[in-house]
Amino acid sequence: MARPISASHDLRRDEILNVAAACFARQSYPATSMNHIAAECGTSKARLYHYYESKEAMLFDLLDRYTQKLLVIIGQVEARAQRRALDERATLHELIRAFLHEYETSATRHAALLGSTHFLGEQQREVILDRQRDIVAAVTRFLCRAYPDRLNARNQTAVAMTLFGMINWTFTWLRPAGPLSYAAFAEEVIGLLDGGLGRVA
């Protein structure tokens, strides 16, 4: 009978992934070695291999967990919107707030998603890319429902990618201790959408 994996094993994996994400963000995925990650974790490379068979396996687990979490956030926002009887525009606004709340504490993971996915093997890369497509498709649906008079088959992809362009790269410039918080920036994004897409066509 196989020995069950303990809760501490999963917690240790989370710690390793946090360190790996920080290393990838600081010095890039190619420049980070298992030795680097082991040293940052305060352990040996041999011990690290107890949890992950390779750096690529670590990257995949990191991105797999993170993209699943983003999809969970989408589902949670939809469920809360139904419970609170929010209209479509308010639901989109809640999604933007939820994404930026997550980005605030997941900056290094988000950096890995945007900058390191192409280092995965083909099959694993497709898993992550499919999740990203699902996220984009979901956000596009939220936008189309929120602004039905402004979005159509011709412009909906461009508008969705414009929204992602506004929020996805915050890890490069937006600092929690800076003059603008993530929560305040979410309201700026919402204001820009309502001021543009929300105006009468």
Side-chain angles (χ1 to χ4, degrees):
M1 182 176 176
R3 183 179 177 183
I5 295 175
S6 68
S8 62
H9 184 90
D10 283 340
L11 286 173
R12 185 57 174 152
R13 275 179 174 259
D14 285 340
E15 293 169 2
I16 291 168
L17 292 179
N18 285 336
V19 170
C23 289
F24 298 157
R26 184 173 61 248
Q27 60 201 37
S28 82
Y29 175 80
T32 301
S33 68
M34 291 291 272
N35 279 330
H36 287 132
I37 297 168
E40 290 289 328
C41 288
T43 190
S44 66
K45 187 166 71 169
R47 183 68 176 163
L48 201 59
Y49 279 119
H50 175 70
Y51 294 92
Y52 290 102
E53 63 185 19
S54 66
K55 186 175 70 167
E56 185 178 310
M58 196 179 297
L59 177 63
F60 176 70
D61 194 23
L62 172 70
L63 300 183
D64 182 49
R65 293 178 186 219
Y66 185 57
T67 51
Q68 287 191 64
K69 188 171 187 179
L70 294 179
L71 287 170
V72 166
I73 287 170
I74 291 169
Q76 289 172 337
V77 168
E78 288 183 311
R80 283 200 306 270
Q82 288 182 351
R83 287 197 305 271
R84 295 165 57 191
L86 298 181
D87 65 28
E88 301 292 2
R89 195 170 294 183
T91 301
L92 171 67
H93 297 171
E94 285 299 299
L95 181 65
I96 292 168
R97 293 182 184 110
F99 269 179
L100 283 165
H101 179 73
E102 177 61 31
Y103 290 1
E104 181 174 6
T105 56
S106 300
T108 55
R109 292 172 185 254
H110 201 70
L113 178 63
L114 296 180
S116 300
T117 301
H118 61 287
F119 292 113
L120 293 171
E122 184 177 354
Q123 288 186 326
Q124 291 184 331
R125 185 169 61 249
E126 279 305 308
V127 170
I128 302 305
L129 291 177
D130 280 344
R131 293 250 183 80
Q132 288 180 293
R133 293 180 191 110
D134 289 343
I135 292 164
V136 171
V139 170
T140 302
R141 289 194 300 273
F142 274 70
L143 279 163
C144 288
R145 292 196 296 253
Y147 303 104
D149 297 330
R150 301 282 288 150
L151 271 73
N152 52 55
R154 179 181 56 81
N155 69 356
Q156 63 185 24
T157 298
V159 172
M161 299 317 294
T162 298
L163 172 57
F164 279 115
M166 283 193 283
I167 68 174
N168 268 3
W169 297 93
T170 47
F171 69 87
T172 66
W173 65 273
L174 186 56
R175 299 290 178 263
L180 186 67
S181 69
Y182 274 76
F185 179 64
E187 301 309 314
E188 293 290 341
V189 173
I190 289 166
L192 286 170
L193 288 176
D194 271 356
L197 294 176
R199 68 179 172 82
V200 177

